[in-house]
Amino acid sequence: MDKLLKLLEDDATLTAEQLSVMLDKEVGEIKNIIEKYEKDGVVLGYKAIVDWDKTDREYVSALIEVKVMPQRDRGFDKIAEKIYNYPEVQSLYLMSGGFDLALIIEGKTMKEVAYFVAQKLATIEYVTATATHFVLRKYKDKGVIYGPAHIDERGNI
Amino acid sequence: MINYEKMLSKTVCDLKPSGIRRFFDMLADMKDVISLTIGEPDFITPWHIREAAIESLEKGKTYYTSNSGTVDLRNEISSYMKRKFQLDYNPKNEVIVTVGGSEAIDIAMRAILEPGDEVILPCPSFVCYEPIATMLGAKVININTKAENKFKLTPEELKAAITPKTKLLVLPFPNNPTGAILTREELEGIADVLRGTNIAILSDEIYAELTYGRKHVSIAQIDGMQERTIIASGFSKAYAMTGWRMGYICAPEILARQMLKIHQFAIMCAPTVSQFAAVEALRNGDEDVEIMRAEYNRRRVFLLEGFKKIGIDCFEAEGAFYLYPNIGKFGLTSEEFASRLLHEYNCAIVPGTAFGECGEGYARISYAYSMKHLTLALEKIEAFVKTLRK
């Protein structure tokens, strides 16, 4: 059922009824499959993609490169867990290349982000270096282009 | 005082404006209408295709091309016809790049028809064939395709319409507005009628890439038909390239040569920038077509199911991006139905009569819209139909 997953990935608001028609399956069956995906952790959640720049909310985000010393037996997992448990951490990846972990963090102000790095992240044992890159503008995220809402400009021909 | 009546061509003045136009004019002044009327893809031309065009501009390729189109593009069209339909067309003299499928249709009809000739046209169909024939002084013999035949042209109907004056058969399948297609077997039946006659075929295959469940077959693939067939096609629908105005003709050299003269004098050549885009589309666009087709199909199935639930009979269209539901049972004419749906529920559909009298009792629904949009439209149609049942 890769098709179902692809459809949901593109538009999580599709109802079981709509999906059942699109995939030519019973509504009940679709509901069961989705439930199973959720139970098995294949589908982990559903979220809206928000362009906060269009709102009044104060918002900054940053990408932080982190170098760490891997732990015996635990590799990077333990340290990763320590980091991702902070709610301000939006994403965390183990990377190849010049540093080990990349995390994306959100905060209200640059100061708040800087505080997180200095007080929380850098002080974690085994973290040896960090480099913070503030996001100046988001052009595209999760396949969605940020900009003015799409207007259907097609004329009636 | 100038006498404009004397100045203007009577034939042109007498042409009826397109029926679809009238409805669209009504739409123009209304706000927040949920429309299902548009006959072009809602997708944007894939980026790699747009990029190829931009690159050609950056490199200053802004000259005329040869009349029949760039060698690259004609080669690509030729190999596409071979790859998809096992048809051989010599890129040197059997392929002409045109300004959209529309020009292809125009030059094909102009190369064939003379005053007094008869042209057979299945109805309903796209609105351009009849006025072009009329301007050429030819007479259009309509064959009204029927719901019980899945809006296909049958060999019997064709046979009955042929007279000694018949010069051309227009074969507009996959069909706009019905979404009907013709299978290989059905095309063979039609070929049987035409074999041994001197009748040419204009096969409008602009929707060839948009069929669901089975692949498009061209009449030119049927034994003995290629020699009398002019294929008019283009990039608008398959690659979401309507605004580029890119179409083409594939026809035997002896026919193509005459069409090229008209194209040469009237058009010179199709837009160069668009030709560069078209080459990229044919070379690397198969996957884009696949994705768009899958999306159209989902919407098609979704709407068919939706109509079934609402209780509107709808023929199961297998091609293009239109459905052609039967709204006759609600006791309104197509125009009344569409007009009331528009004014009372802010939802626009095209009345079947926009495609000629044979469209009475039907409406054309385009599903070149997002699922969200379609869902909203269905709700409106359902609410409207409920009031009609009371």
Side-chain angles (χ1 to χ4, degrees), chain A residues 7 11 13-14 17-18 21-23 150 152 154-157, chain B residues 21 24 27 37-38 40-41 298 301-302 305 368-369 371 375:
Chain A
L7 284 170
D11 181 1
T13 64
L14 289 171
E17 284 72 20
Q18 288 170 331
V21 176
M22 289 155 85
L23 296 166
H150 176 69
D152 192 345
R154 293 176 293 167
N156 273 309
I157 287 291
Chain B
R21 202 58 275 154
F24 286 163
L27 257 176
T37 57
I38 293 179
E40 68 173 309
R298 265 181 228 132
V301 175
F302 174 72
E305 189 72 18
Y369 293 93
M371 283 295 288
T375 308

Side-chain angles (χ1 to χ4, degrees), chain B residues 229-241:
Chain B
T229 300
I230 301 166
I231 293 178
S233 192
F235 296 81
S236 296
K237 315 294 180 175
Y239 298 93
M241 288 178 69

Side-chain angles (χ1 to χ4, degrees), chain A residues 1-11 14, chain B residues 298:
Chain A
M1 283 304 276
D2 285 355
K3 270 191 187 164
L4 172 63
L5 283 176
K6 191 79 197 76
L7 284 170
L8 281 178
E9 194 189 26
D10 287 345
D11 181 1
L14 289 171
Chain B
R298 265 181 228 132

Side-chain angles (χ1 to χ4, degrees), chain B residues 34-76:
Chain B
I34 296 291
S35 168
L36 298 176
T37 57
I38 293 179
E40 68 173 309
D42 56 319
F43 299 99
I44 298 169
T45 309
W47 174 241
H48 66 103
I49 298 175
R50 284 184 276 157
E51 213 172 21
I54 293 165
E55 197 194 325
S56 80
L57 291 178
E58 280 174 348
K59 287 187 177 160
K61 300 184 185 237
T62 54
Y63 38 73
Y64 292 127
T65 70
S66 86
N67 294 129
S68 51
T70 65
V71 174
D72 272 359
L73 181 51
R74 277 179 286 137
N75 282 338
E76 289 301 331

Side-chain angles (χ1 to χ4, degrees), chain A residues 1 16 19-20 23 25-34:
Chain A
M1 283 304 276
L19 288 164
S20 87
L23 296 166
K25 290 216 168 356
E26 295 296 319
V27 178
E29 195 183 340
I30 295 285
K31 283 185 177 161
N32 287 340
I33 298 170
I34 293 177

Side-chain angles (χ1 to χ4, degrees), chain A residues 120-150:
Chain A
K120 295 178 178 166
L121 188 61
T123 59
I124 295 172
E125 209 187 349
Y126 304 110
V127 168
T128 60
T130 64
T132 305
H133 310 275
F134 282 100
V135 174
L136 300 181
R137 183 165 172 190
K138 218 185 249 190
Y139 289 104
K140 189 176 181 182
D141 199 9
K142 297 184 176 67
V144 179
I145 294 170
Y146 282 55
H150 176 69

Side-chain angles (χ1 to χ4, degrees), chain B residues 61-322:
Chain B
K61 300 184 185 237
T62 54
Y63 38 73
Y64 292 127
T65 70
S66 86
N67 294 129
S68 51
T70 65
V71 174
D72 272 359
L73 181 51
R74 277 179 286 137
N75 282 338
E76 289 301 331
I77 292 168
S78 171
S79 63
Y80 168 86
M81 295 308 282
K82 181 78 183 167
R83 172 160 66 91
K84 293 274 174 165
F85 310 113
Q86 303 80 52
L87 287 168
D88 287 307
Y89 287 101
N90 187 341
K92 279 204 183 80
N93 50 24
E94 296 187 315
V95 176
I96 305 170
V97 179
T98 58
V99 180
S102 305
E103 195 222 339
I105 293 166
D106 184 46
I107 61 174
M109 294 182 81
R110 285 209 263 170
I112 300 283
L113 295 172
E114 291 188 310
D117 289 342
E118 288 182 3
V119 44
I120 297 177
L121 176 64
C123 281
S125 58
F126 183 52
V127 294
C128 81
Y129 314 110
E130 189 154 345
I132 295 174
T134 307
M135 282 189 276
L136 294 166
K139 189 179 168 197
V140 174
I141 308 295
N142 284 318
I143 297 180
N144 295 342
T145 55
K146 298 182 187 68
E148 61 262 34
N149 296 330
K150 298 184 169 176
F151 295 103
K152 293 164 189 286
L153 172 69
T154 69
E156 298 73 29
E157 289 165 336
L158 174 61
K159 203 168 184 180
I162 292 174
T163 75
K165 289 183 182 162
T166 307
K167 205 66 175 301
L168 178 70
L169 164 66
V170 178
L171 212 54
F173 295 93
N175 182 273
N176 168 12
T178 66
I181 63 159
L182 293 177
T183 64
R184 181 180 286 274
E185 296 71 40
E186 288 151 359
L187 289 168
E188 264 161 11
I190 287 167
D192 285 343
V193 178
L194 294 177
R195 221 169 268 128
T197 71
N198 210 34
I199 299 170
I201 304 167
L202 168 56
S203 188
D204 182 351
E205 304 186 13
I206 191 79
Y207 291 101
E209 284 288 349
L210 300 181
T211 60
Y212 313 104
R214 61 174 106 215
K215 289 213 159 70
H216 173 75
V217 180
S218 169
I219 183 96
Q221 287 172 264
I222 312 297
D223 245 6
M225 290 299 113
Q226 189 173 357
E227 62 196 29
R228 67 176 74 230
T229 300
I230 301 166
I231 293 178
S233 192
F235 296 81
S236 296
K237 315 294 180 175
Y239 298 93
M241 288 178 69
T242 47
W244 300 82
R245 309 311 302 124
M246 266 289 101
Y248 55 87
I249 283 278
C250 288
E253 194 270 332
I254 202 158
L255 298 176
R257 196 194 309 156
Q258 302 308 324
M259 285 185 274
L260 183 60
K261 280 199 287 190
I262 308 170
H263 173 77
Q264 204 168 52
F265 292 130
I267 303 290
M268 199 82 100
C269 71
T272 304
V273 60
S274 302
Q275 294 192 49
F276 279 97
V279 167
E280 171 63 20
L282 287 177
R283 280 188 188 155
N284 299 308
D286 281 7
E287 204 180 314
D288 304 310
V289 177
E290 199 63 54
I291 290 168
M292 289 189 266
R293 179 173 35 231
E295 181 58 30
Y296 287 133
N297 192 29
R298 265 181 228 132
R299 301 171 185 177
R300 179 185 73 102
V301 175
F302 174 72
L303 275 187
L304 280 170
E305 189 72 18
F307 282 133
K308 203 195 273 178
K309 269 195 199 134
I310 297 172
I312 295 178
D313 300 326
C314 188
F315 149 71
E316 201 166 308
E318 290 179 85
F321 38 60
Y322 309 105

